[in-house]
Amino acid sequence: MEPQTQNLKTIPLLSLGRFHISEEYGFLLPNPLKELPDHYRPWMEIANKLPRLIESHQLQAQVNKMPLLTCQFLQSYREQRLAHLVLSFITMGYVWQEGETHPKEVLPRNLALPFVEVSKNLGIPPILVHADLVLTNWTTRDPERNLDIIVSFPGEESLRGFILVTVLVEKAAVPGIKALVQAVNAILQSSQNSLLQALQRLRLSIQDITRTLGQMHDYVDPDIFYAVIRIFLSGWKDNPSMPVGLIYEGVSPEPLEYSGGSAAQSTVLHAFDEFLGIHHSKESADFLHRMREYMPPSHKAFIEEIHSAPSLRDHILSSGNGPLLAAYNQCVEALAELRSYHITVVTKYLITAATKAKGRRPKYLPGPPLAFEERGTGGTVVLSFLKSVRNKTLEAILHQSD
């Protein structure tokens, strides 16, 4: 790493607006659209009936009759984000309609061409990503501002709960993201008091994220998540059910491989890790860096900006400031506790649910997705990855003698 020789005062201050991050909603898209222009009614008609079409095994036939539409009439950024959300849900339903043993290996051109076109416009891959499932897929449905989702899969209330609790997790992270910006600027301006306050706010936000994640237990049934929902989040990279990937007809004669939706595609913890100077094992870091390609480019750029900012750890150690060191360590401990809690949630919803599904198959559930038992939807061997990431977080604890 090159020494910080430049004058810190000459570096421009960090701001969220530069990266299209909302002061109120963070990485969530503020007030997502629910309807596309009338030209795209064939897409919306399918999207609005998606769970029923999948459950009745009619989606593939409906998609095959869909007209080929270009994306030229998508005028705004929010229209493009909704189009990507709609086409990604239709794609996952189309591929996985018949379950993990009979995935569709070719995406028809009337779906593949516009999906790839809007993906290129947005700078994200042509598959369902966290930015679709969560960041663009929320709305308020009544004057009380109760949350609802825009597009759905089979899984009913558990699917809705899974998405909306994750929306609330992103919302709980907003004070932490703002604290991170305050902290970076405090280092640039050599303001120890502002830095201390920012670290305290970051810790509180991380703790709030952990509490919010706990709402999964109230709204998501583990059996339904494992046996019904999870397959629709699964991709075609590192997936034994689709070992060579998916052919996007009219785009490429060769199959393309993309990872499924993953919490690792959320920008939040990437930003916290970069700011706190947490270094993961090569295998984990490689996967995490690959997941950044699944984020909106401005969010990925925000992580890179944090990475290139002056080192918080170096600043604290060189300052000899005890309260700053203690506040930093409390942030690291809170982040490790969040990751430990995430391990317990994943154990309940994947590992324990898989064991139960093997032992007894409820009548209303299809067969368990055997190929996915030890893997997250992003393709990682999930528990070893999560434990490594948690342990490397704890290794970042600072001692005054460091």
Side-chain angles (χ1 to χ4, degrees):
M1 195 183 217
E2 292 180 9
Q4 298 276 345
T5 55
Q6 55 191 325
N7 184 342
L8 297 186
K9 306 261 181 174
T10 66
I11 302 174
L13 294 181
L14 186 60
S15 73
L16 293 179
R18 249 168 63 209
F19 301 93
H20 307 289
I21 301 165
S22 165
E23 292 276 343
E24 184 175 357
Y25 296 107
F27 298 111
L28 292 164
L29 184 68
N31 306 310
L33 295 180
K34 293 185 279 189
E35 290 292 339
L36 288 172
D38 198 55
H39 180 74
Y40 300 101
R41 187 184 298 172
W43 296 353
M44 292 305 302
E45 285 177 347
I46 290 176
N48 290 334
K49 298 183 292 189
L50 202 58
R52 185 155 44 87
L53 289 172
I54 293 170
E55 288 165 341
S56 62
H57 301 271
Q58 294 176 333
L59 175 62
Q60 290 169 355
Q62 289 287 315
V63 167
N64 291 336
K65 292 188 285 189
M66 202 169 73
L68 173 58
L69 305 174
T70 77
C71 297
Q72 68 188 75
F73 301 110
L74 296 170
Q75 300 296 324
S76 69
Y77 178 72
R78 290 199 304 155
E79 285 180 1
Q80 291 185 42
R81 287 285 293 268
L82 177 57
H84 199 278
L85 166 65
V86 164
L87 295 174
S88 68
F89 265 67
I90 295 172
T91 293
M92 300 314 251
Y94 186 91
V95 169
W96 298 114
Q97 174 183 289
E98 301 303 323
E100 61 137 0
T101 54
H102 297 95
K104 275 287 186 187
E105 295 173 356
V106 179
L107 201 64
R109 67 176 55 240
N110 56 350
L111 181 51
L113 286 171
F115 193 21
V116 168
E117 183 184 357
V118 76
S119 297
K120 284 180 176 170
N121 291 343
L122 290 170
I124 51 181
I127 191 169
L128 177 74
V129 296
H130 178 80
D132 301 308
L133 182 71
V134 177
L135 304 183
T136 315
N137 195 20
W138 67 279
T139 186
T140 51
R141 64 181 178 188
D142 50 37
E144 282 75 49
R145 295 184 63 77
N146 287 312
L147 290 175
D148 206 350
I149 58 176
I150 298 169
V151 193
S152 189
F153 287 128
E156 298 178 340
E157 288 304 301
S158 284
L159 185 276
R160 190 169 159 271
F162 175 71
I163 293 170
L164 292 180
V165 169
T166 313
V167 167
L168 293 175
V169 165
E170 290 280 346
K171 187 75 166 63
V174 175
I177 298 300
K178 290 161 82 169
L180 190 154
V181 170
Q182 178 186 339
V184 169
N185 291 336
I187 294 172
L188 294 173
Q189 296 170 316
S190 301
S191 173
Q192 306 294 60
N193 286 342
S194 179
L195 178 56
L196 180 60
Q197 181 189 62
L199 290 172
Q200 291 164 342
R201 288 176 175 169
L202 176 58
R203 172 182 58 83
L204 291 172
S205 177
I206 295 170
Q207 291 170 333
D208 194 31
I209 292 170
T210 306
R211 278 191 296 272
T212 305
L213 182 60
Q215 293 185 50
M216 283 290 175
H217 303 297
D218 301 325
Y219 294 103
V220 185
D221 182 305
D223 294 335
I224 292 175
F225 177 81
Y226 180 77
V228 178
I229 296 168
R230 190 161 172 256
I231 192 169
F232 297 107
L233 311 181
S234 300
W236 25 96
K237 182 180 173 65
D238 302 323
N239 183 343
S241 291
M242 296 185 73
V244 298
L246 177 70
I247 291 174
Y248 290 71
E249 191 179 57
V251 175
S252 167
E254 299 300 318
L256 303 176
E257 293 185 290
Y258 295 105
S259 298
S262 167
Q265 294 170 4
S266 169
T267 310
V268 172
L269 295 192
H270 289 256
F272 292 173
D273 277 349
E274 290 291 359
F275 173 63
L276 294 170
I278 291 163
H279 297 289
H280 295 295
S281 70
K282 184 181 185 308
E283 187 180 6
S284 297
D286 286 349
F287 173 73
L288 289 167
H289 276 83
R290 190 156 59 77
M291 289 298 98
R292 294 181 186 181
E293 302 304 319
Y294 291 70
M295 299 176 188
S298 61
H299 296 177
K300 180 187 171 193
F302 178 73
I303 301 169
E304 290 165 353
E305 187 81 0
I306 301 296
H307 175 76
S308 63
S311 165
L312 171 66
R313 290 168 63 87
D314 291 351
H315 178 84
I316 289 173
L317 288 172
S318 63
S319 74
N321 185 314
L324 275 184
L325 185 129
Y328 169 87
N329 284 342
Q330 287 173 350
C331 288
V332 172
E333 287 162 359
L335 187 56
E337 285 166 13
L338 167 57
R339 286 181 154 141
S340 290
Y341 189 71
H342 188 212
I343 290 168
T344 67
V345 172
V346 167
T347 300
K348 174 180 175 178
Y349 284 90
L350 296 191
I351 313 304
T352 307
T355 305
K356 280 175 69 181
K358 272 188 201 167
R360 56 171 181 79
R361 187 180 301 178
K363 286 179 189 165
Y364 62 93
L365 299 181
L370 301 173
F372 307 146
E373 275 171 19
E374 300 302 322
R375 292 183 175 270
T377 46
T380 53
V381 180
V382 66
L383 278 190
S384 59
F385 166 73
L386 292 176
K387 286 175 180 174
S388 168
V389 166
R390 187 268 318 275
N391 294 343
K392 287 293 184 182
T393 303
L394 280 171
E395 286 178 20
I397 294 286
L398 280 177
H399 308 282
Q400 193 60 67
S401 57
D402 285 1

